[in-house]
Amino acid sequence: MAEHSLRIGVLAGEASGDILGSRLLAALRKRYPELQIEGIGGPLMQAQGLNSLFPMERLSVMGFVEPLKRLPELLRIRRSVYRHFLANPPDIFIGIDSPDFCLRLEWQLRRAGIATAHLVSPSVWAWRRGRIRKIARAVDRMLCLFPFETAIYRQHAIAADFVGHPLADEIPIQSDRAAARAALGLPATGRLLALLPGSRGGEVGLLAPLFLATAQRLSRADPELRLVLPAASPERLVQLQALLPAYSGLPLTLVEGRSREVMMAADAVLLASGTATLEALLVQCPMAVAYRMSPLSWALVSRLVKTPFAALPNILAGRALVPELIQEAATVEALVAAVQPLLYNSHVTREQQQAFASIHQALALGFGERCADAVAAVLENRAH
C-alpha cells in the first residue's frame, strides 16, 4: 500500500479515549504524512486532522441508567457511522475503548471486509469473559495497555499486542517531590498524607467520610502529620467542602484538581481503587487502596469478578504489593493499620517504590509508535 494513500476510520467516545487516540494519530501521521482520518473524537484527535462526524460528547455517558436514556440517540449515531464507512470504506477502522459502543460497529465493518483494530482491552480477564467470542468476530487485532492482558487473547487465537501505557511515557521515573510541594504551597518538610476518595459523587459519598475519619485517627497519633485532599472536579470540591466541618481541626489542605501533583508531593496516599492508582504507581507514591459500593452493586460485582485483586498495582505485580481493603474490610481501624507503615516504615515504602519503578519501566514502551506498529501489521496482513 502506498504510504500517501492511507485512510483510516477511528472512534473515541470519551476524553480518555481522545488522549489515547491523539497519540496514535500523531504516530501514524509520521509514517503516512497524507493520512486521512474520519470518525468521532474530541479536540485532541481533531488537532491531529480527524474529521469528526459527530461531537464526541454525544457518546460520553456513564453508569447504567444514563446510557439507557440515551440509547435511541446512541444507536442512531452508530448506524450513521456504519453507513458512512460502508459507503466510504477506510483501509482500517480503529475503535478506542468504549467497548459496548465500538465492538458491534467493528463487527459490522469487519463483516463488510474492512480491517479493524481495537485499542484498550475490555476487562475480559476480570469479568464477562463471554465477550471474548464477540471480540474474536469483531477485531483483527487487540491493542492492550497492560502486559497481562494479551494472554487471554492468545488462548483464543486473537492477535493482540501489548503497546504500553502513555502515562508511563509521560511521567518521569523519578518525581521531584520538593518541586511538587512548592508548586502546591505545601511545607517543604514533614510527613504528608494524600487522600483521594474518587472522582464520582457516589464514590466520594461512601469513601470520603471513611478517609477523613482515618486521617483524624492518624492525626491524633501524630500531630505533625499534614493532609492534602484534591477534589477531582468543581462538583466534588463542593461535596467535600460540605463534609469537612464534621472533621474540624484536621491540618488539611483542600486542592481543586492537581491530583498527580498532590501524589508527587505526598509521602503516602490513601485512595479509591481505580485509574488514580496507576498514577500513584508511576509517581512512586506508596499507597493503600480502598473501595466501597452499595450492597446491591457489591453483591453483583463480587459474583462476576474473576480476579484475585482489585487494585491495579497488585494486578500488574501479580501479588499483594499494596494493601487493598474492599467493602466490609474497609474500616477506619484497617485503614489506619494499612497507612501507618507507609508513613513510618522505610522498608515497606522502599519495597513498594522499587516494584513501582520496575512496573513503570515495563509500561514505558513508546505508546504511539507501538500502536502504529500494530496498525501497520494489520494493514500488511490484509495486503497479502
Side-chain angles (χ1 to χ4, degrees):
M1 180 181 298
E3 290 194 1
H4 66 273
S5 65
L6 186 68
R7 182 170 170 272
I8 68 168
V10 63
L11 189 148
E14 55 191 42
S16 59
D18 190 40
I19 294 168
L20 298 174
S22 68
R23 308 259 176 116
L24 164 63
L25 295 180
L28 283 172
R29 190 166 291 288
K30 284 182 185 172
R31 298 186 185 205
Y32 309 98
E34 302 302 317
L35 182 68
Q36 298 173 51
I37 317 160
E38 287 186 302
I40 298 178
L44 298 176
M45 290 169 66
Q46 290 173 45
Q48 295 296 331
L50 168 70
N51 171 29
S52 195
L53 304 173
F54 292 90
M56 186 182 73
E57 291 71 28
R58 301 314 305 161
L59 305 185
S60 298
V61 289
M62 297 288 290
F64 296 104
V65 177
E66 183 66 14
L68 291 175
K69 288 182 185 172
R70 298 267 309 284
L71 189 59
E73 181 190 8
L74 294 170
L75 292 175
R76 190 165 61 249
I77 291 173
R78 189 163 66 187
R79 277 196 303 272
S80 180
V81 173
Y82 168 65
R83 288 169 183 157
H84 174 83
F85 285 127
L86 203 61
N88 308 277
D91 296 299
I92 187 170
F93 176 83
I94 306 159
I96 301 171
D97 211 354
S98 304
D100 292 326
F101 189 94
C102 286
L103 286 173
R104 182 169 177 81
L105 178 59
E106 289 160 1
W107 170 68
Q108 290 175 310
L109 294 172
R110 192 175 187 226
R111 192 177 56 173
I114 296 167
T116 61
H118 189 89
L119 173 58
V120 184
S121 169
S123 302
V124 285
W125 42 271
W127 68 309
R128 289 175 62 194
R129 293 195 176 190
R131 290 178 293 174
I132 200 80
R133 291 187 291 275
K134 180 195 269 190
I135 292 167
R137 293 192 296 269
V139 304
D140 288 290
R141 210 169 194 97
M142 179 63 71
L143 280 56
C144 303
L145 302 186
F146 301 113
F148 62 85
E149 294 178 310
T150 58
I152 192 168
Y153 293 107
R154 295 199 174 121
Q155 287 166 16
H156 291 83
I158 301 168
D161 293 287
F162 165 45
V163 294
H165 200 290
L167 280 180
D169 297 326
E170 179 184 316
I171 296 172
I173 291 282
Q174 291 295 330
S175 295
D176 190 336
R177 182 179 296 174
R181 288 194 179 196
L184 291 163
L186 296 167
T189 59
R191 287 189 180 87
L192 181 67
L193 174 66
L195 307 172
L196 274 75
S199 59
R200 300 187 181 101
E203 287 176 331
V204 171
L206 287 168
L207 292 175
L210 175 67
F211 284 16
L212 289 165
T214 301
Q216 209 165 39
R217 188 83 62 88
L218 290 163
S219 186
R220 285 192 199 117
D222 179 3
E224 300 299 313
L225 178 67
R226 292 192 61 87
L227 306 157
V228 60
L229 173 60
S233 65
E235 294 80 11
R236 299 294 76 78
L237 183 66
V238 170
Q239 187 179 6
L240 289 166
Q241 283 170 332
L243 286 171
L244 287 178
Y247 304 89
S248 60
L250 274 180
L252 184 143
T253 302
L254 183 61
V255 178
E256 185 173 349
R258 304 176 76 176
S259 60
R260 188 188 300 176
E261 271 183 291
V262 164
M263 290 189 284
M264 284 180 176
D267 294 288
V269 59
L270 172 60
L271 75 170
S273 182
T275 53
T277 60
L278 178 64
E279 283 194 281
L281 180 155
L282 293 172
V283 301
Q284 293 185 38
C285 185
M287 76 182 89
V289 178
Y291 207 75
R292 278 184 180 173
M293 58 187 74
S294 72
L296 178 59
S297 294
W298 174 247
L300 292 169
V301 167
S302 59
R303 284 170 172 78
L304 290 171
V305 172
K306 306 296 183 189
T307 176
F309 300 115
L312 186 55
N314 290 343
I315 295 169
L316 287 164
R319 61 188 176 94
L321 174 63
V322 307
E324 56 176 64
L325 299 141
I326 310 298
Q327 210 62 7
E328 291 89 354
T331 64
V332 171
E333 292 74 17
L335 293 181
V336 168
V339 171
Q340 278 182 325
L342 303 178
L343 291 168
Y344 307 108
N345 186 327
S346 60
H347 172 73
V348 171
T349 59
R350 192 161 52 246
E351 184 189 358
Q352 280 200 13
Q353 288 173 325
Q354 286 171 350
F356 293 167
S358 177
I359 293 168
H360 190 155
Q361 288 168 336
L363 295 177
L365 298 179
F367 170 81
E369 286 303 312
R370 290 291 286 255
C371 288
D373 288 343
V375 169
V378 175
L379 294 168
E380 194 174 322
N381 287 343
R382 281 296 184 106
H384 291 122

